[in-house]
Amino acid sequence: MKRLLLLLLCAVPVQAQPYDLVIQNGKIVDGSGNPWFHGDVAVRGNKIVALGQIPPGIFKRTIDAKGLVVAPGFIDIHAHSEHHLIEDGAALSKITQGVTTEVFGENNSPGPYLGKLKPPGVRVKDETVTWKTLGEYFDLADKRGFATNVASFVGLGTVWQCVMGDSHARPSAAQLGEMKKLVADAMKQGAAGVSTMLAMPPGSLAHADELVELCKVAAAHGGIFVVHIRNEGTDVLAALKEVIEIARKAGIQLEILHIKIADQKLWGKMNEVVDLVNKARQAGVNVQANLYPYTRGHNNLASIIPPWAHEGGKALMLQRLKKDRERLRREIKDGIPGWYNHYTAVGGDWARMLLTGTSGYGGLTMDRVLAERSKGKANPDLFEEFLDFLGEQEGSVPAIFEHHAEKDMRLAMQQPWCGIGSDGYAHALEGPLRRGHPHPRSFGTFPRVLGLYVRELGLITLEEAVRKMTSLNAQKIGAHDRGLLRVGFAADITIFDPQRVIDRSTFTQPFQLSEGIEYVVVNGVLAIDQGKATGAQPGVSLRRGSAVSQKGS
């Protein structure tokens, strides 16, 4: 009799077992780009286990999504929250946008910190949290728990500094071999590819042939090449051709970070950028890109200083700010061939530089800072004031530059190969992560696309916008069980009101959460419930090439 009962229990179909969560009556936009349909989604553990019309049953929790859009969780393909999440894993400014996965790595990455590069130390209450490798960072993420999942590329700037330190010397064959080994190790630990920022040192020090060799290592492990190109301004086409050729030679998929034309001299020429990418794709090079939906970018006033002045690290740069002023003045105003100059990109207009960070000047434009410093001075020299100010701030002042055009950004957004990424950080409304004067993209990127560019302007369809935030980005990081609403896929789900969703963060008042994101599910756990953060931190590390994490099942 007991044996018969056991056989009967085993024969119960899986759909007859209780569901942990059922989302009913939603407008399902599944992430594929296909047209929406009405239906239900059922979750058990950390997986989607049923989709379509789900009959009545035993449900631990139901959500009536009538009038709401049910979509895969948004994947922020370009984020910088690796240290922020160690400080505060709540990821408030991101989870309230519907983001369920953050992807790190540009010039720097959360590992490796070996050789000549010292490991970071993130102070959290009474402890200092540290790690050395990307794998160790992933272990920390799984142990501490974040509200979002995390993935990462390995930053070639980080790798370069491990081997070369702050030197601007050319690497020897042996040193390049050390870098290749570091990349291989990071790929084995789960990196999604290699990334670099070629506009400033140390990334700008790498020659194309060296990048090819490093990219070949990532390609052998199934990774992609992610790049902030050398020049987003007057030499943008040449810079794009360089990285396309690197990708072709290395046999690797290319991802262009925050694609734009960031110099007013070339505004209106995004069609030439699009044509270049399309021709490369037609020739067999898998070129893709991402962007943030704003026409101002975040960098540092130190980016106005030419590359040679950064050699040897901050201490030597500060000395050069004092002793090499005439050369600095000349090269900042006139530029250097091949160098992307943020000063000339904004037409030499200090009013188009908005200071952020914790300098005490956050929220002021640089022209106001210079005017304040020049009060009472006869014939003040603004360049002298700028160099003095930068030196007083220890060579680092985060700033937002108004350097690209809305028309160009919209054309790029419409391209099928262009996804969405914030280039932002996970901030909070209080506590340690309410600091500085951040770019509003940290709070509003994804709702801004849905509210402004989909609903109000009709620039792209709802289905296409969701695809750009989900499956398109999932493919890039090798997260083949995410980015789509599919049976068997991870239960990362965002539910929003298509009539209300919008960003509220602005350049002058950035600490404002987006609206209209009603529910967010991460690995089957509600992180946003009826528009409010639950405090749950069910995120896991997404390591390329690894088995899907079973945390929460």
Side-chain angles (χ1 to χ4, degrees):
M1 184 67 183
K2 289 183 178 179
R3 185 178 179 185
L4 177 61
L5 180 61
L6 180 62
L7 289 171
L8 289 171
L9 287 172
C10 291
V12 174
V14 68
Q15 59 266 32
Q17 298 174 20
Y19 296 128
D20 294 320
L21 172 66
V22 174
I23 303 162
Q24 299 175 318
N25 308 315
K27 183 177 181 178
I28 295 179
V29 180
D30 67 5
S32 68
N34 289 336
W36 64 268
F37 61 94
H38 282 121
D40 309 327
V41 180
V43 173
R44 184 181 298 115
N46 62 358
K47 300 288 186 185
I48 296 171
V49 292
L51 186 69
Q53 300 300 320
I54 297 174
I58 302 173
F59 310 151
K60 294 181 181 178
R61 170 72 189 270
T62 60
I63 293 174
D64 184 358
K66 185 176 181 180
L68 303 178
V69 170
V70 182
F74 302 150
I75 297 173
D76 190 345
I77 193 65
H78 186 200
H80 295 279
S81 306
E82 54 265 41
H83 290 190
H84 285 59
L85 290 179
I86 295 291
E87 289 186 75
D88 176 3
L92 186 66
S93 73
K94 293 299 187 71
I95 203 75
T96 52
Q97 294 185 57
V99 171
T100 57
T101 297
E102 290 204 86
V103 187
F104 309 137
E106 187 173 351
N107 198 48
N108 304 314
S109 59
Y113 297 98
L114 301 168
K116 296 182 178 180
L117 187 60
K118 293 181 179 180
V122 179
R123 191 70 180 169
V124 183
K125 295 182 180 179
D126 296 327
E127 66 170 328
T128 298
V129 180
T130 189
W131 65 94
K132 291 184 178 181
T133 67
L134 185 57
E136 289 178 6
Y137 181 85
F138 287 148
D139 291 341
L140 269 175
D142 289 332
K143 179 181 178 181
R144 298 180 72 88
F146 304 147
T148 64
N149 305 307
V150 295
S152 184
F153 305 105
V154 56
L156 294 185
T158 298
V159 167
W160 189 280
Q161 287 185 299
C162 285
V163 176
M164 304 299 294
D166 291 325
S167 170
H168 282 211
R170 301 298 326 134
S172 65
Q175 288 169 323
L176 184 61
E178 289 181 55
M179 294 185 203
K180 291 168 70 173
K181 183 179 184 305
L182 289 172
V183 170
D185 289 345
M187 293 301 300
K188 292 172 185 175
Q189 293 162 15
V194 294
S195 61
T196 190
M197 195 276 205
L198 298 177
M200 289 181 65
S204 61
L205 304 176
H207 290 178
D209 57 344
E210 295 160 346
L211 292 170
V212 169
E213 292 303 306
L214 293 165
C215 284
K216 284 181 178 179
V217 177
H221 293 269
I224 71 173
F225 177 36
V226 180
V227 60
H228 176 142
I229 60 177
R230 287 191 198 273
N231 193 312
E232 295 178 322
T234 53
D235 288 332
V236 61
L237 294 177
L240 283 169
K241 289 176 183 177
E242 178 195 28
V243 295
I244 289 170
E245 183 64 8
I246 290 168
R248 185 189 68 79
K249 289 182 176 179
I252 195 169
Q253 179 176 324
L254 174 63
E255 174 79 358
I256 301 163
L257 291 176
H258 42 60
I259 192 167
K260 66 174 81 76
I261 297 178
D263 194 307
Q264 62 183 24
K265 297 186 188 73
L266 270 70
W267 285 356
K269 294 189 178 292
M270 180 56 74
N271 61 311
E272 296 182 27
V273 170
V274 169
D275 288 345
L276 182 59
V277 171
N278 285 335
K279 286 178 181 177
R281 291 182 58 79
Q282 291 165 7
V285 183
N286 187 355
V287 184
Q288 299 186 38
N290 62 69
L291 59 75
Y292 48 82
Y294 301 87
T295 57
R296 300 181 184 184
H298 204 185
N299 209 297
N300 195 294
L301 288 184
S303 65
I304 295 175
I305 305 301
W308 60 266
H310 293 268
E311 182 174 4
K314 184 174 70 174
L316 290 179
M317 184 190 76
L318 292 174
Q319 291 179 25
R320 294 176 183 122
L321 290 181
K322 295 178 180 179
K323 70 178 185 179
D324 294 318
R325 293 202 162 188
E326 286 309 310
R327 179 181 177 185
L328 289 171
R329 178 196 300 269
R330 181 177 66 255
E331 293 181 352
I332 290 170
K333 283 191 171 183
D334 300 338
I336 302 173
W339 170 50
Y340 175 58
N341 184 339
H342 278 76
Y343 177 79
T344 58
V346 297
D349 187 350
W350 298 110
R352 289 165 63 184
M353 305 176 197
L354 178 70
L355 305 194
T356 68
T358 55
S359 66
Y361 295 90
L364 296 179
T365 51
M366 193 61 201
D367 62 321
R368 290 181 60 189
V369 174
L370 295 176
E372 183 66 27
R373 294 177 61 90
S374 301
K375 278 184 179 178
K377 297 181 182 179
N379 302 316
D381 186 321
L382 296 186
F383 256 91
E384 290 288 321
E385 293 293 343
F386 163 68
L387 295 173
D388 284 343
F389 174 70
L390 188 57
E392 292 164 10
Q393 299 296 321
E394 294 297 309
S396 179
V397 181
I400 293 169
F401 294 84
E402 186 182 354
H403 54 28
H404 55 293
E406 180 75 17
K407 180 181 178 181
D408 287 333
M409 189 269 290
R410 291 186 188 184
L411 179 59
M413 185 184 292
Q414 289 177 302
Q415 304 312 308
W417 37 259
C418 188
I420 304 298
S422 74
D423 198 6
Y425 299 77
H427 284 282
L429 297 183
E430 57 186 19
L433 295 190
R434 184 186 174 108
R435 60 172 177 249
H437 192 94
H439 193 297
R441 64 193 179 193
S442 291
F443 288 83
T445 292
F446 296 86
R448 181 176 176 83
V449 171
L450 295 169
L452 178 59
Y453 294 99
V454 173
R455 183 180 67 241
E456 296 180 14
L457 298 177
L459 184 73
I460 54 177
T461 66
L462 174 62
E463 293 89 344
E464 179 66 357
V466 170
R467 184 187 71 86
K468 288 173 177 290
M469 300 173 179
T470 58
S471 64
L472 182 61
N473 290 342
Q475 174 268 327
K476 296 169 185 178
I477 61 172
H480 299 303
D481 68 328
R482 296 173 199 262
L484 292 167
L485 297 180
R486 293 283 189 274
V487 172
F489 273 46
D492 289 352
I493 304 168
T494 291
I495 306 172
F496 60 91
D497 184 340
Q499 300 306 316
R500 290 182 54 246
V501 64
I502 197 65
D503 61 311
R504 293 300 181 195
S505 179
T506 68
F507 287 101
T508 56
Q509 295 182 325
F511 288 98
Q512 300 187 77
L513 300 178
S514 295
E515 295 182 1
I517 304 294
E518 301 298 329
Y519 301 89
V520 177
V521 181
V522 181
N523 295 309
V525 178
L526 278 162
I528 298 291
D529 191 348
Q530 295 181 310
K532 304 294 183 182
T534 66
Q537 297 185 181
V540 298
S541 64
L542 305 183
R543 312 184 198 208
R544 189 172 198 133
S546 299
V548 177
S549 172
Q550 297 301 306
K551 180 178 177 181
S553 62

